[in-house]
Amino acid sequence: MDVYSKSSKIYLAHQLFDEIPQPDIVARTTLIHAHSASGNLKMARDIFSKTPLSMRDTVFYNAMITGYSHNDDGYGAVALFNDMRRDGFRPDGFTFTSVLGALALIADYERQCQQMHCMVVKSGTGFVTSVLNALISVYVKCASSPSVLSTSLLISARKVFDEMPQKDELSWTTMITGYIRNDDLDAAREFLDGMCEKLGVAWNAMISGYVHQGLIQEAFEMFKKMQSLEIQLDKFTFTNVISACANAGLIQLGKQVHGYILRAMGKPTPDFSLSVNNALITLYWKCGKAGEALEIFNKMPVRDLVSWNAILSGYVNVGQIDEARTIFGEMPERNVLTWTVMISALAQNGLGEESLKLFSQMRLEGFEPCDYAFAGAITSCAVLGALENGRQLHAQLVRSGFDSSLSAGNSMITMYARCGVLEAAHSLFLTMPCVDLVSWNAMIAALGQHGYGAQAVELYEQMLKEGILPDRISFLTVLSACNHAGLVKEGHQYFDSMYGVYGITPGEDHYARLIDLLCRSGKFSQAKAVIDSLPFKPGAPIWEALLAGCRIHGIIDLGIEAAERLFELIPQHDGTYVLLSNMYATVGRWNEVAEVRKLMRDRGVKKEPGCSWIDVENKVHVFLVDDTLHPEVQAVYNYLEQLGLEMRKLGYVPDTKFVLHDMESDQKESVLSTHSEKLAVAFGLMKLPRGTTVRVFKNLRICGDCHNSFKFISEVVGREIVVRDGKRFHHFKDGKCSCGDYW
DNA sequence: GTAGGGTTAG
């Protein structure tokens, strides 16, 4: 009895019970009800098992079965149901209602639905409305589970419904929600229109169905019809309608609804206000009105978990991670959803480690992660390139029964791809029980990032053939793929089809990819024409694409122009300086290279770790610190010396020239260590026996000379090498690279 | 039997 406070009614009742020398079956049944209603299944079970068989009756069993069912123990309820029949007790209508409710909690209850249906019929309770409602409900729930063929079960539910001698409101509503959950809104609507009584619950369910399908107009028509038919509008009606506005970004309409509520609802109950305010927070936040959202939140007399979660995800959606962290810390309570939002937010912002830490903390605090939480954690592994961690999560996911989850599956496609195992990503894509646009986009991107541009384009075409409509992200990925495969004409056609065929207005990032495509293939006048005719003022992505193209082809004047625009827009961005200096290096203007580096130093711009290199006419030039006392410098020298020797011996590179260049001392360590690391890997690979496939998971920013080295090694040693380079991968084989040598 | 808070792809 420790779990109850000493003054609680159950405690007192139980004490009284203990004092009765021989409590009868009615007392026992009552106490089982009381314990299980307060969530203490153990106490209920204790009384149950101490009751001799001779005393028991059907009502007594029913109490215990209901107890299991109400405490989400479906298996317990079904097992006891079987025990009951074995012990010779006859289930009645209440028994069936309870056990059918319990069935819906069990994962694979498809066959059991039908068995139970037969038993109901045989037991003679097949005319009892509550039993039949439970039967319909369990069929409907079963039909909504993803692994089940829903139509046949819905037909079964419909049959039960049609043959019911007496239908009540519940029967109708259950059927309607059944159709809604299976995305058959027309059938649901037909049912609703066939109901004589205008029941608010059913109408609300119907509106919610429309909202979830994005059918805003239909939702609002229902709403207006409810008003004209004078059906009671309640918190469900309004939260649904507000969420419709939020999803469609209709702030004006949302405000009208808000005003209507204030005028028409008189003095609302606290419960009504809470629900509506929660919906309003999201409405304002999704429509970019952070101030209004926060004002509502701050003025709320009572907040619940939903309010806090709405504020949390509001901050996350506008990218204010620090504020989100603060809210997360301040929250009076959290649930799985809270954790999921935070884990995913961190992953999305590249904070993979923090995200994974939170994922394990979540479990330590006793929360069982849902598939969305897994998806967030798996994304963190993709960010970190942590293959082993990702594989473990994959295994745990399967163990938790989420292996058919779309979001988790989609995140795993990306995780495997970004960890270098393209084959695993692909086989996952092929074996997933169902895929959606996100899965296709993920797989197309994976191929593109691994340098398989032609295959990515092929997969995109296949997606179109299967009747799936591309979105703006599909175009970003397919355009990138065209870039890497050098498919200029195709890329341009895809770009044109974006608005021409699919009515999607290209964004700046799409234009940037188009310019990238044109510049890479040397079509500078076309690229310039596109920039001049842009429907908006060109921003950093556009100029960066242009500068990158100028770097490859050594188009100095245009490159300088692009760099100047970039300096105005993002003065402290190191990438501009690197591109600019490499552009000069391409044409051998070393003095200008030095000037750019000086400029960078004068402006206090920090360069990200990497190395400077350039490949001109098959000659490898490497910048090195003029400091031969530095041990790293000596190591890099030695590596290059040997590598150059080997390469020349095989006639791979006719000449290797090292250009010494001064470098900032704070850049020395990182630049040199990454460089020597890559060369060390290259040498390690050379020593390996023929016939091995090597994957380098450590993120090595691939530069021109190590790219050459890897190509050389793949040819000489004769095997495949996969190397990670940021988000992308290079596959080296037979002296060629999957990236199409766009270096 | 209905609602308000979430995820995955660039």
Side-chain angles (χ1 to χ4, degrees):
Chain A
M1 286 308 290
D2 297 342
V3 290
Y4 298 117
S5 90
K6 294 209 168 176
S7 59
S8 81
K9 283 180 185 161
I10 305 176
Y11 181 84
L12 297 172
H14 202 106
Q15 267 205 329
L16 208 62
F17 179 84
D18 283 340
E19 284 164 18
I20 305 173
Q22 280 187 323
D24 68 359
I25 195 68
V26 178
R28 289 166 195 263
T29 307
T30 311
L31 210 57
I32 285 176
H33 268 304
H35 280 305
S36 53
S38 65
N40 196 338
L41 204 57
K42 206 170 153 284
M43 293 297 289
R45 178 79 223 186
D46 197 45
I47 298 167
F48 182 88
S49 56
K50 282 182 185 153
T51 304
L53 213 57
S54 57
M55 272 182 92
R56 299 181 187 184
D57 59 12
T58 297
V59 182
F60 178 72
Y61 275 96
N62 289 350
M64 195 60 225
I65 291 173
T66 309
Y68 280 117
S69 184
H70 281 177
N71 286 282
D72 297 334
D73 186 351
Y75 289 102
V78 174
L80 187 61
F81 174 76
N82 291 330
D83 287 350
M84 169 186 186
R85 290 167 56 238
R86 191 201 56 213
D87 294 342
F89 292 92
R90 206 181 133 82
D92 63 5
F94 290 107
T95 324
F96 282 114
T97 313
S98 286
V99 80
L100 282 165
L103 260 193
L105 302 165
I106 298 176
D108 67 298
Y109 49 83
E110 191 182 356
R111 201 183 307 149
Q112 302 204 37
C113 281
Q114 265 121 19
Q115 281 178 357
M116 205 60 84
H117 191 169
C118 292
M119 275 190 248
V120 167
V121 174
K122 278 189 202 146
S123 73
T125 55
F127 60 91
V128 182
T129 303
S130 62
V131 175
L132 295 175
N133 280 345
L135 194 58
I136 294 174
S137 166
V138 82
Y139 269 129
V140 158
K141 270 190 196 145
C142 189
S144 321
S145 87
S147 56
V148 165
L149 197 72
S150 59
T151 39
S152 69
L153 288 157
L154 272 181
I155 291 168
S156 304
R158 177 66 189 260
K159 226 174 139 205
V160 176
F161 178 85
D162 285 342
E163 290 167 3
M164 276 176 93
Q166 274 194 315
K167 303 175 186 33
D168 62 5
E169 292 172 344
L170 191 58
S171 332
W172 284 89
T173 321
T174 312
M175 271 320 292
I176 290 172
T177 51
Y179 282 117
I180 292 173
R181 278 196 206 153
N182 288 281
D183 296 334
D184 192 348
L185 294 186
D186 293 334
R189 185 59 187 269
E190 212 177 291
F191 252 80
L192 186 78
D193 292 338
M195 271 180 89
C196 336
E197 203 178 338
K198 299 299 171 204
L199 185 68
V201 182
W203 283 68
N204 290 340
M206 197 66 228
I207 293 181
S208 138
Y210 284 133
V211 173
H212 285 288
Q213 294 275 319
L215 301 166
I216 309 301
Q217 226 172 329
E218 283 82 350
F220 264 88
E221 273 163 25
M222 292 289 293
F223 175 63
K224 282 178 198 149
K225 219 168 166 188
M226 276 179 89
Q227 287 171 292
S228 63
L229 290 170
E230 295 186 335
I231 301 171
Q232 181 67 50
L233 307 175
D234 60 11
K235 59 177 177 178
F236 294 98
T237 325
F238 286 113
T239 48
N240 273 322
V241 167
I242 293 167
S243 129
C245 299
N247 295 341
L250 300 168
I251 183 66
Q252 288 309 326
L253 193 58
K255 277 185 175 172
Q256 281 176 30
V257 176
H258 190 178
Y260 177 83
I261 294 170
L262 296 176
R263 270 180 283 119
M265 294 312 286
K267 199 176 178 314
T269 63
D271 178 49
F272 177 91
S273 300
L274 179 65
S275 298
V276 166
N277 279 328
N278 287 343
L280 285 171
I281 291 175
T282 305
L283 168 75
Y284 285 114
W285 218 317
K286 278 194 183 163
C287 295
K289 312 266 179 198
E292 276 95 330
L294 286 167
E295 197 187 329
I296 294 177
F297 179 78
N298 290 329
K299 282 187 180 163
M300 281 167 77
V302 185
R303 301 175 191 127
D304 65 359
L305 190 51
V306 178
S307 334
W308 283 96
N309 283 342
I311 287 296
L312 180 72
S313 55
Y315 276 124
V316 167
N317 288 332
V318 294
Q320 302 193 16
I321 295 299
D322 291 335
E323 285 80 357
R325 261 200 216 98
T326 312
I327 291 289
F328 184 79
E330 282 174 4
M331 288 176 72
E333 53 171 340
R334 298 173 188 148
N335 62 2
V336 174
L337 200 142
T338 319
W339 289 93
T340 306
V341 170
M342 205 58 215
I343 288 165
S344 310
L346 293 168
Q348 289 293 340
N349 286 276
L351 303 162
E353 266 176 72
E354 193 182 341
S355 165
L356 285 180
K357 262 185 208 152
L358 218 58
F359 185 72
S360 62
Q361 196 192 329
M362 165 187 186
R363 293 169 133 178
L364 283 176
E365 295 192 14
F367 291 93
E368 199 58 50
C370 62
D371 57 338
Y372 293 154
F374 270 107
I378 289 165
T379 300
S380 304
C381 297
V383 168
L384 297 166
L387 179 64
E388 263 325 298
N389 218 326
R391 280 192 172 134
Q392 280 170 18
L393 284 171
H394 187 168
Q396 291 163 15
L397 189 92
V398 173
R399 247 179 280 143
S400 308
F402 293 128
D403 35 350
S404 62
S405 158
L406 254 179
S407 46
N410 292 342
S411 66
M412 282 195 292
I413 293 176
T414 301
M415 183 273 289
Y416 281 119
R418 297 250 292 253
C419 291
V421 206
L422 190 60
E423 304 84 349
H426 194 228
S427 75
L428 197 74
F429 176 71
L430 294 176
T431 54
M432 273 164 72
C434 55
V435 291
D436 64 357
L437 178 61
V438 176
S439 329
W440 284 93
N441 286 346
M443 195 61 229
I444 295 167
L447 287 167
Q449 286 160 345
H450 278 262
Y452 299 114
Q455 288 91 326
V457 168
E458 217 171 279
L459 195 66
Y460 173 75
E461 287 294 337
Q462 197 189 325
M463 179 181 95
L464 296 185
K465 270 192 207 126
E466 296 196 10
I468 294 166
L469 290 176
D471 66 354
R472 45 180 300 276
I473 291 174
S474 315
F475 283 105
L476 287 179
T477 52
V478 82
L479 286 171
S480 299
C482 288
N483 280 344
H484 294 140
L487 303 167
V488 184
K489 212 178 90 202
E490 290 85 344
H492 215 157
Q493 280 170 357
Y494 287 135
F495 183 88
D496 289 338
S497 76
M498 210 177 146
Y499 187 75
V501 181
Y502 301 100
I504 306 168
T505 310
E508 183 167 28
D509 33 9
H510 295 102
Y511 278 104
R513 276 165 173 75
L514 176 67
I515 286 156
D516 199 1
L517 188 71
L518 293 169
C519 291
R520 263 183 217 287
S521 53
K523 297 181 166 37
F524 284 93
S525 53
Q526 271 196 58
K528 198 75 180 62
V530 172
I531 294 177
D532 289 337
S533 64
L534 282 177
F536 49 84
K537 192 171 178 286
I542 302 287
W543 298 118
E544 202 159 359
L546 182 65
L547 178 56
C550 294
R551 189 214 76 182
I552 294 169
H553 293 280
I555 312 291
I556 304 294
D557 290 348
L558 202 56
I560 293 172
E561 195 193 325
E564 278 172 355
R565 297 286 92 75
L566 281 168
F567 287 144
E568 287 162 18
L569 291 162
I570 36 170
Q572 295 303 108
H573 181 56
D574 61 341
T576 312
Y577 295 88
V578 174
L579 282 174
L580 193 62
S581 74
N582 283 344
M583 180 182 77
Y584 282 120
T586 304
V587 291
R589 285 163 66 167
W590 306 108
N591 290 338
E592 280 88 347
V593 172
E595 271 174 37
V596 174
R597 296 200 160 265
K598 186 173 178 301
L599 201 65
M600 196 171 174
R601 193 166 52 222
D602 293 346
R603 294 181 183 175
V605 177
K606 292 253 182 273
K607 189 186 170 298
E608 70 169 30
C611 54
S612 308
W613 57 272
I614 196 68
D615 176 10
V616 193
E617 291 167 4
N618 236 5
K619 293 187 184 78
V620 179
H621 301 261
V622 182
F623 301 107
L624 284 177
V625 179
D626 191 10
D627 177 6
T628 36
L629 292 177
H630 195 293
E632 286 275 11
V633 174
Q634 203 54 55
V636 173
Y637 255 133
N638 292 340
Y639 279 134
L640 283 169
E641 200 70 21
Q642 290 176 51
L643 193 66
L645 221 66
E646 294 283 331
M647 285 172 143
R648 274 195 294 276
K649 221 162 43 190
L650 282 135
Y652 192 77
V653 176
D655 184 29
T656 300
K657 181 183 174 194
F658 301 124
V659 179
L660 295 184
H661 189 83
D662 191 21
M663 204 181 285
E664 289 301 288
S665 60
D666 63 339
Q667 293 171 9
K668 263 185 216 168
E669 297 294 333
S670 56
V671 170
L672 287 171
S673 63
T674 55
H675 202 72
S676 56
E677 190 170 39
K678 282 186 285 194
L679 291 164
V681 169
F683 266 88
L685 292 172
M686 286 183 79
K687 289 180 188 120
L688 289 169
R690 215 165 252 280
T692 339
T693 299
V694 188
R695 289 174 202 278
V696 183
F697 293 120
K698 191 169 167 57
N699 185 8
L700 301 179
R701 299 309 302 247
I702 301 301
C703 61
D705 59 341
C706 66
H707 197 261
N708 269 335
S709 318
F710 283 129
K711 271 164 64 174
F712 162 72
I713 293 158
S714 78
E715 189 175 33
V716 173
V717 199
R719 88 218 37 208
E720 208 176 331
I721 308 161
V722 186
V723 187
R724 180 168 180 222
D725 177 13
K727 275 190 183 178
R728 315 218 346 259
F729 278 84
H730 296 262
H731 291 245
F732 297 93
K733 199 181 175 184
D734 302 330
K736 291 196 179 100
C737 180
S738 63
C739 78
D741 294 342
Y742 81 95
W743 287 104

